[in-house]
Amino acid sequence: MRPQNSMKQTKLSPFIYFLSLTLLILSTSSLTMARQNKPLPGAERPELYLEQLQGKRIGIVANQTSILTHSENKHVVDFLLEKGVVVKKVFVPEHGFRGQADAGEKVDNSVDAKTGLPIISLYGNNKKPKPEQIQDLDILIFDLQDVGVRFYTYISTMHYLMEAAAENGKKVIIFDRPNPNGSYIAGPVLKEGFESFVGMHPIPVVHGLTVGELAQMINGEKWLKGGLKADLEVIPVGNWNHSTPYNLPVKPSPNLPNDLSIKLYPSTCFFEGTIVSLGRGTHFPFQVYGYPDPKFGDFTFTPVSIDGMSKNPPHQDKKCFGVDLRGESMMHEFTLKYLIDAYQKSGKGQAFFNNYFNTLAGTDQLKKMIMEGKTEAEITASWKVDLDKYKELRTKYLIYN
């Protein structure tokens, strides 16, 4: 019996081998196709930048979002070091290198435990690299995942990096990344006199640019101090355009924990300039809003101190009543309806707003129109001329369709 069984097995072996080989080829082909179709951030296209980095002294602006997803989420700093690139120091934005600092929290200079590289904060009192911090560098790389909203401060960090580079004769390379809110443009355009770290450029709230495209606009429109232009190169994203959906593999900051929060962020961040909580102190920030008064809504939540997210949230330990937005569509786009709803329910008039609101809005007209009882349609119509001008300007700097 054994010899017969052995003979049967021998006859089947070529078929099994062929089937296994076919499945392996199909599996490998599917994986290759998936990688070809998936957006490739600039950092994941080393063939476009590695050669020019060899033998150069590199400084890089990076944080927890600076990863190569096709290489098991390897951090870009680790990748560059493995490839023999001389990385001298790491600069970090708001929220720090590992992205665990709360909004506005002080980020100190330190040393990365894994690589031993010095980490220099570009937040707080040192938003712009000092000449002595970059004098020993040849190239400055910027690789941060932005969310496409004017008051998200990573683009302000990029501005100051470009400015320091231009003043000190250093090259800037942007490792571009997809914009998860890059398919549309909305909101008021920032007016002169309202510039701040949460709004440095005359662009709308939702600007419809990647950081690479915005860097080209900053250069081209001479928005750097003194009209300087940085020696700039953008490593573009592959397999992506402005209509391509993009799910972020890593949360870009502690209080944007998921894709829906990023979609809602342009609309709900305005609550930072009001008495209303937008959910800081919960595990669903920017996805709810409320106030310690039942007239604001039926949904309830209680903000508490959460280390690594929000240590001192507004209305801490108070029961807030309001609206739960977690059922909103992932197709959500900027709207004023939440803000107007909360304002009308409050009955507080001017006291609804704080001094930060106009800074976020980039204009004093939005608050005035809300207080005058204007509808969302009337308010957004008032932006049309400025938005049309911006859209025309934007076309000059687009890298992607």
Side-chain angles (χ1 to χ4, degrees), residues 282 284 287-291 294 296-302 319-326:
T282 73
F284 35 86
Q287 300 160 80
V288 301
Y289 63 92
Y291 185 77
F296 278 79
D298 297 329
F299 175 69
T300 62
F301 61 95
T302 303
K319 188 176 184 178
C320 291
F321 300 80
V323 179
D324 185 357
L325 301 175
R326 286 175 289 175

Side-chain angles (χ1 to χ4, degrees), residues 251-271:
K251 60 183 181 181
S253 52
N255 285 284
L256 290 179
N258 54 35
D259 291 321
L260 182 59
S261 67
I262 291 165
K263 292 291 185 181
L264 289 166
Y265 176 72
S267 306
T268 56
C269 189
F270 277 109
F271 286 121

Side-chain angles (χ1 to χ4, degrees), residues 315-383:
H315 307 305
Q316 182 174 337
D317 301 324
K318 295 178 183 176
K319 188 176 184 178
C320 291
F321 300 80
V323 179
D324 185 357
L325 301 175
R326 286 175 289 175
E328 281 285 338
S329 165
M330 282 301 297
M331 301 301 290
H332 174 87
E333 293 187 356
F334 174 80
T335 179
L336 293 173
K337 66 181 179 182
Y338 313 137
L339 181 64
I340 293 172
D341 169 66
Y343 171 77
Q344 292 175 344
K345 286 175 178 175
S346 76
K348 291 182 179 291
Q350 173 74 37
F352 176 79
F353 303 95
N354 61 37
N355 293 334
Y356 192 45
F357 187 84
N358 288 347
T359 302
L360 278 175
T363 172
D364 57 3
Q365 293 304 302
L366 176 57
K367 182 170 80 171
K368 286 179 181 177
M369 295 186 80
I370 291 173
M371 292 181 66
E372 289 169 359
K374 302 292 187 185
T375 65
E376 178 172 23
E378 289 173 322
I379 296 172
T380 54
S382 73
W383 303 332

Side-chain angles (χ1 to χ4, degrees), residues 34-265:
R35 288 182 172 177
Q36 286 174 344
N37 293 329
K38 186 178 177 183
L40 276 173
E44 302 193 36
R45 307 181 75 189
E47 69 278 5
L48 300 182
Y49 63 81
L50 265 186
E51 186 176 347
Q52 66 172 307
L53 300 185
Q54 298 300 328
K56 303 294 185 181
R57 300 165 299 175
I58 307 299
I60 183 168
V61 180
N63 65 4
Q64 80 286 350
T65 68
S66 311
I67 58 171
L68 284 70
T69 56
H70 289 100
S71 299
E72 300 179 340
N73 289 352
K74 185 187 296 292
H75 198 282
V76 68
V77 171
D78 298 329
F79 174 76
L80 292 175
L81 291 172
E82 287 176 7
K83 296 299 181 182
V85 176
V86 182
V87 179
K88 299 280 288 183
K89 57 192 74 172
V90 178
F91 297 91
V92 298
E94 182 178 9
H95 308 300
F97 188 42
R98 301 298 173 188
Q100 295 176 333
D102 191 11
E105 185 177 350
K106 188 174 186 290
V107 178
D108 293 319
N109 294 344
S110 58
V111 174
D112 180 40
K114 182 173 182 179
T115 62
L117 291 172
I119 296 175
I120 300 170
S121 172
L122 294 182
Y123 192 65
N125 295 326
N126 186 46
K127 292 183 174 69
K128 178 178 171 179
K130 295 180 173 62
E132 60 269 24
Q133 293 172 330
I134 62 174
Q135 64 182 359
D136 60 341
L137 303 175
D138 300 307
I139 297 174
L140 297 167
I141 295 173
F142 181 92
D143 184 20
L144 298 178
Q145 176 63 62
D146 187 50
V147 298
V149 181
R150 186 183 67 219
F151 33 66
Y152 202 63
T153 62
Y154 293 170
I155 57 175
S156 299
T157 297
M158 181 178 72
H159 175 110
Y160 281 128
L161 182 79
M162 291 173 62
E163 195 167 275
E167 290 171 345
N168 293 277
K170 310 295 181 180
K171 181 173 182 176
V172 176
I173 299 179
I174 307 290
F175 286 178
D176 212 3
R177 290 182 176 269
N179 176 356
N181 285 310
S183 61
Y184 73 106
I185 296 160
V189 174
L190 184 138
K191 298 293 187 182
E192 187 176 354
F194 289 89
E195 296 87 355
S196 72
F197 195 60
V198 293
M200 298 187 70
H201 313 110
I203 60 177
V205 170
V206 184
H207 53 70
L209 298 169
T210 65
V211 291
E213 291 170 327
L214 179 57
Q216 292 188 159
M217 183 180 284
I218 291 169
N219 239 10
E221 297 304 307
K222 298 184 178 180
W223 289 340
L224 299 178
K225 188 170 70 175
L228 289 172
K229 293 182 71 172
D231 178 4
L232 176 70
E233 180 178 353
V234 178
I235 306 300
V237 182
N239 307 326
W240 185 84
N241 61 47
H242 282 280
S243 61
T244 307
Y246 186 65
N247 301 318
L248 270 62
V250 177
K251 60 183 181 181
S253 52
N255 285 284
L256 290 179
N258 54 35
D259 291 321
L260 182 59
S261 67
I262 291 165
K263 292 291 185 181
L264 289 166
Y265 176 72

